[in-house]
Amino acid sequence: MFEIFGIPSQALFGQLLIGLINGSFYAVLSLGLAVIFGMLNIINFSHGAQYMMGAFCAFFLLHYAGLNYWAALVLAPIAVGFTGILVERAFLQWLYKLDHLYGLLLTFGLALIIEGVFRNYFGASGLPYAVPESLQGGINLGFMFLPIYRAWVIGFSLVVCLATWFIIERTRLGGYLRAATENPTLVRSFGINVPRMITLTYGFGVGLAALAGVMAAPIYNVSPQMGADLIIVVFAVVVIGGMGSIMGAIVTGFGLGIIEGLTKVFFPEASNTVIFVIMAIVLLIRPAGLFGRAA
Amino acid sequence: MKRLMITTALALVVSAGTAAAQTTVKIGVLTDMSSLYADLAGPGSVTAARMAANEFMANNKDFKVEIISGDHQNKPDIGSNIANQWYDVEKVDLIVDTPNSGVALAVNEITRNKNKVFINSGAASSDLTGPKCSPNTVHWTYDTWMLANGTGKAIVKTGGDSWFFLTADYAFGHALERDTAAVVEKNGGKVVGKVRHPLNVQDFSSFLLQAQSSKAKVIGLANAGGDTINSVKQAAEFGITKGGQNLAGLLVFASDVNSLGLKNAQGLILTETWYWDLNDGSREWTKRWQKERNAAGKIPSMVQAGVYAGVTHYLKAVAALKSAADGKAVVAKMKEIPTDDPLFGKGTVRADGRKIHDAYLFEVKSEKESKYPGDFYKTRATIPAAEAFRPLKDGSCPLVSG
């Protein structure tokens, strides 16, 4: 066994893997943000609250309807995505022509309201949610103990990320969507219902946040705070990757998870600032982000 | 005309009479209303303070007690601003509760400078009655020394002699780690490592992995609230307890156990000074609290109990002096008269501001053992008041030595 900077290689591999797992949450969340920003030009600050709603939705389904984790994985994103569609129809659709700031303020306000309401009814310290039975336990990899649930998270996130990328960048539907954001009038003249497509896209982005919430419920504390704690980091990830870049969001999500994981070993006190340091450096060198195109 | 004049004169006499007889005492509950400590303190502490005030007013008609509340958002600068404003503009006489040691230490200094009173229930740092002790401060419910002494000692004595700390990187975590490490070493154990994590982290797996590879027998969680919940939950996931290592929750509240669920929390050993199901007095109080709070399923924490008991004792001292104006005099009176309330029983406030009462070593029940909602703990030991807190001479409090 060899050592790197005084850390045994075994421990280091373990930390890399854990970083990758955390990175998968960052990736799914920042992907949703990137889709919404790239297609709608809305900076969706309520993304954290919608992630939290996903986790709570899983809790409700289990405790009030008796539906397990697998059902929640499908139903929660649909339910929360539907609330997203309502928000888009009621508020956001009037803001596309205005400055980014209006969308940002609206979604930020919504996030505060949603979190406040959940805190009022469910308290601040959170609710329990167990790991589904079929994914309990773990595998001993030799260099670390890998809980099966975490392995599932990493695999499932990768599939979700790549599928989203494929739909938007490689299919005809995605093509329409990208065209509609460039020139809505022209696309509409081909007989495509652009407003409906935009609405569904917002719903999809919100659904991604809720999906991450369901995946998080068994491992993190299901509390009204959970989104607020994470969302700032996810925004940093999106900025580093380049606002609106789908691949950028995925790659930086996983990459920064790893960097953060390594910081937790070498200098744990800095582990929640390291991402912002990287963000500052990236903005200095490449203001459009690593994968962004300069406007 | 004559009749009108007589009525007016009468009215004046009556109103002047009540104005002269009623002394107004204003109490500010400075707490965390919206973040990680809002369940164990927050609105529930405001309810507790209001209950104490109402009971007092029912027996002392010549006093009027007003309760206001504020949210310090766990930021010392915001907490200091509110405290200054309350003392200077709102004419608040007493600030109570204040979880978060960072905020509490700031309010401690402001209260000393303005000669008001600070009764802390929610913060843990033992420095409040140690180097930073003040003639205007009473530390009511618990502190880091007492937690370390209770949980730390009990675990070392049952064979947990090598420790690894997971410490929240701010005043509270450092104090708890320091006090626990001292207890561990004094009882023949050793500390093999530690990692300091930022406040409010979601993912502890990396830190837990470090703890796991340290091979320590006990992983001491020198953190609180959501951080403790996430550490315990993820430790179970990574098979840490199954692998033979034990977790020591150095500060765990009943509200944390509730959100962890007994399945994750069972077997945890923890120290508290009050538990809702302790005796008839506390059960009866809990019922009234739930009614007042309009939350039947919620369970009050020891912090909220401390707010009630602290305010009750404060008002007794104010009634004895007939004035709340001189903060130092009120605290001196609080130290002079013995305490007696339905929750903490009979006790004293020591010269350094430390409230002295029994502490309890609890173990979290398993799902099978729990008979009704909120049935969380079984009592492993009662730590008598005389042993529960740091001896007066060891605190290096200037009030005592000087």
Side-chain angles (χ1 to χ4, degrees):
Chain A
M1 198 169 73
F2 57 99
E3 285 195 355
I4 304 164
F5 299 121
I7 307 279
S9 60
Q10 288 194 331
L12 206 61
F13 289 140
Q15 296 297 343
L16 281 173
L17 192 57
I18 285 187
L20 215 53
I21 297 165
N22 287 335
S24 51
F25 281 104
Y26 294 157
V28 176
L29 280 169
S30 58
L31 179 65
L33 276 180
V35 167
I36 292 171
F37 182 79
M39 305 299 139
L40 282 73
N41 269 338
I42 292 280
I43 301 171
N44 186 30
F45 242 91
S46 49
H47 214 68
Q50 283 149 345
Y51 158 80
M52 177 271 286
M53 283 165 78
F56 267 91
C57 204
F59 175 84
F60 296 148
L61 287 171
L62 184 67
H63 286 258
Y64 299 118
L67 293 168
N68 67 8
Y69 175 83
W70 304 106
L73 213 50
V74 179
L75 293 177
I78 294 174
V80 179
F82 187 70
T83 66
I85 286 174
L86 292 182
V87 166
E88 201 273 346
R89 281 289 90 192
F91 306 109
L92 287 174
Q93 62 158 327
W94 314 106
L95 301 177
Y96 297 137
K97 294 190 190 75
L98 302 173
D99 192 80
H100 287 333
L101 204 57
Y102 290 89
L104 189 150
L105 284 176
L106 179 94
T107 50
F108 184 56
L110 272 178
L112 292 180
I113 294 170
I114 296 169
E115 278 163 14
V117 167
F118 273 81
R119 191 162 51 233
N120 189 42
Y121 287 102
F122 305 103
S125 49
L127 303 163
Y129 193 89
V131 174
E133 245 163 60
S134 49
L135 295 178
Q136 276 175 4
I139 320 157
N140 198 342
L141 297 178
F143 60 87
M144 75 172 281
F145 178 89
L146 178 68
I148 293 174
Y149 185 77
R150 299 251 175 171
W152 150 256
V153 163
I154 203 169
F156 186 61
S157 319
L158 260 178
V159 171
V160 169
C161 286
L162 293 178
T164 307
W165 172 82
F166 186 80
I167 291 171
I168 289 178
E169 300 285 344
R170 289 287 181 271
T171 62
R172 179 166 289 226
L173 177 70
Y176 286 150
L177 205 58
R178 281 176 292 133
T181 50
E182 290 285 324
N183 193 336
T185 328
L186 191 68
V187 175
R188 202 178 281 191
S189 69
F190 288 121
I192 291 163
N193 188 341
V194 173
R196 181 183 297 163
M197 208 155 75
I198 297 284
T199 306
L200 290 176
T201 307
Y202 185 75
F204 177 72
V206 171
L208 278 179
L211 184 70
V214 179
M215 288 198 293
I219 46 178
Y220 301 144
N221 181 20
V222 180
S223 81
Q225 276 283 109
M226 63 190 290
D229 296 340
L230 201 62
I231 192 67
I232 305 294
V233 176
V234 174
F235 264 101
V237 171
V238 175
V239 170
I240 295 169
M243 291 294 288
S245 160
I246 306 292
M247 207 28 131
I250 299 171
V251 173
T252 38
F254 281 103
L256 287 172
I258 292 175
I259 291 175
E260 195 192 43
L262 291 180
T263 316
K264 281 177 178 168
V265 186
F266 293 109
F267 189 16
E269 287 89 340
S271 58
N272 66 346
T273 35
V274 64
I275 286 183
F276 301 100
V277 174
I278 295 173
M279 182 179 88
I281 296 169
V282 167
L283 287 180
L284 277 176
I285 300 168
R286 280 184 69 100
L290 292 176
F291 294 81
R293 281 160 302 204
Chain B
M1 190 65 199
K2 200 177 170 190
R3 201 161 155 191
L4 183 72
M5 275 178 72
I6 293 172
T7 328
T8 320
L10 261 176
L12 271 174
V13 169
V14 170
S15 63
T18 48
Q22 271 214 328
T23 312
T24 303
V25 182
K26 203 161 181 182
I27 298 174
V29 183
L30 182 57
T31 185
D32 174 359
M33 288 292 208
S34 53
S35 182
L36 72 170
Y37 304 134
D39 271 1
L40 59 94
S45 289
V46 180
T47 305
R50 193 162 289 137
M51 284 166 71
N54 288 343
E55 280 164 31
F56 177 77
M57 281 191 289
N59 298 324
N60 297 270
K61 299 280 186 219
D62 45 349
F63 280 92
K64 185 166 177 273
V65 185
E66 281 175 38
I67 307 276
I68 59 171
S69 62
D71 184 1
H72 62 45
Q73 298 171 34
N74 289 303
K75 296 189 177 92
D77 53 332
I78 295 180
S80 305
N81 271 342
I82 298 177
N84 275 314
Q85 198 201 335
W86 277 0
Y87 287 145
D88 294 340
V89 185
E90 307 266 351
K91 306 291 173 213
V92 162
D93 300 295
L94 160 72
I95 289 184
V96 70
D97 199 11
T98 318
N100 188 317
S101 297
V103 183
L105 287 164
V107 173
N108 184 45
E109 291 312 312
I110 295 167
T111 308
R112 187 205 307 259
N113 292 335
K114 312 247 179 208
N115 191 24
K116 303 286 184 177
V117 181
F118 179 37
I119 300 179
N120 187 288
S121 180
S125 174
S126 59
D127 288 355
L128 280 170
T129 53
K132 305 273 191 256
C133 73
S134 144
N136 297 76
T137 298
V138 172
H139 198 184
W140 196 276
T141 312
Y142 71 105
D143 65 29
T144 48
W145 194 95
M146 162 248 146
L147 295 168
N149 183 56
T151 315
K153 206 191 219 166
I155 291 178
V156 178
K157 282 198 173 151
T158 51
D161 55 2
S162 59
W163 285 60
F164 186 97
F165 284 104
L166 237 64
T167 307
D169 193 18
Y170 76 108
F172 150 72
H174 294 185
L176 189 51
E177 180 201 297
R178 176 197 66 206
D179 289 346
T180 313
V183 169
V184 168
E185 277 157 12
K186 199 177 148 206
N187 287 282
K190 62 176 192 298
V191 178
V192 296
K194 65 179 176 205
V195 57
R196 291 196 166 153
H197 67 77
L199 179 65
N200 248 342
V201 202
Q202 291 264 311
D203 197 78
F204 281 85
S205 45
S206 170
F207 306 127
L208 287 166
L209 221 59
Q210 295 176 46
Q212 200 169 27
S213 60
S214 77
K215 305 269 189 277
K217 284 186 191 162
V218 180
I219 300 172
L221 305 175
N223 49 24
D227 284 340
T228 306
I229 295 171
N230 274 328
S231 328
V232 175
K233 207 170 171 178
Q234 290 164 25
E237 200 196 344
F238 277 84
I240 285 188
T241 29
K242 278 201 191 115
Q245 286 174 306
N246 282 314
L247 289 183
L250 296 171
L251 178 52
V252 179
F253 294 97
S255 52
D256 301 335
V257 173
N258 190 38
S259 49
L260 270 167
L262 291 176
K263 204 172 169 193
N264 283 322
Q266 64 171 313
L268 259 184
I269 292 171
L270 55 107
T271 309
E272 290 209 82
T273 53
W274 185 82
Y275 169 49
W276 77 273
D277 208 4
L278 205 55
N279 53 44
D280 288 341
S282 52
R283 278 187 285 267
E284 190 266 335
W285 185 84
T286 299
K287 267 193 204 130
R288 283 195 291 135
W289 180 86
Q290 286 170 333
K291 201 168 156 226
E292 192 96 356
R293 175 112 170 74
N294 202 8
K298 275 206 167 41
I299 283 161
S301 69
M302 65 167 168
V303 171
Q304 291 151 347
V307 168
Y308 169 84
V311 170
T312 302
H313 189 60
Y314 167 83
L315 290 172
K316 271 185 210 162
V318 170
L321 293 172
K322 298 194 169 51
S323 158
D326 183 356
K328 235 181 236 171
V330 175
V331 172
K333 195 80 196 166
M334 287 177 76
K335 290 173 184 169
E336 189 189 312
I337 51 180
T339 69
D340 188 9
D341 59 73
L343 303 185
F344 294 89
K346 291 187 198 312
T348 49
V349 180
R350 217 165 53 180
D352 56 356
R354 179 69 254 164
K355 163 72 172 35
I356 303 295
H357 41 237
D358 289 351
Y360 306 91
L361 190 69
F362 293 119
E363 185 181 329
V364 177
K365 290 185 173 174
S366 68
E367 274 175 310
K368 260 191 208 149
E369 291 166 304
S370 174
K371 298 278 183 295
Y372 40 87
D375 181 18
F376 293 150
Y377 301 155
K378 50 188 170 196
T379 310
R380 293 247 308 220
T382 301
I383 307 162
E387 291 169 28
F389 291 94
R390 179 174 57 201
L392 193 56
K393 59 178 173 42
D394 296 347
S396 45
C397 162
L399 290 176
V400 178
S401 53

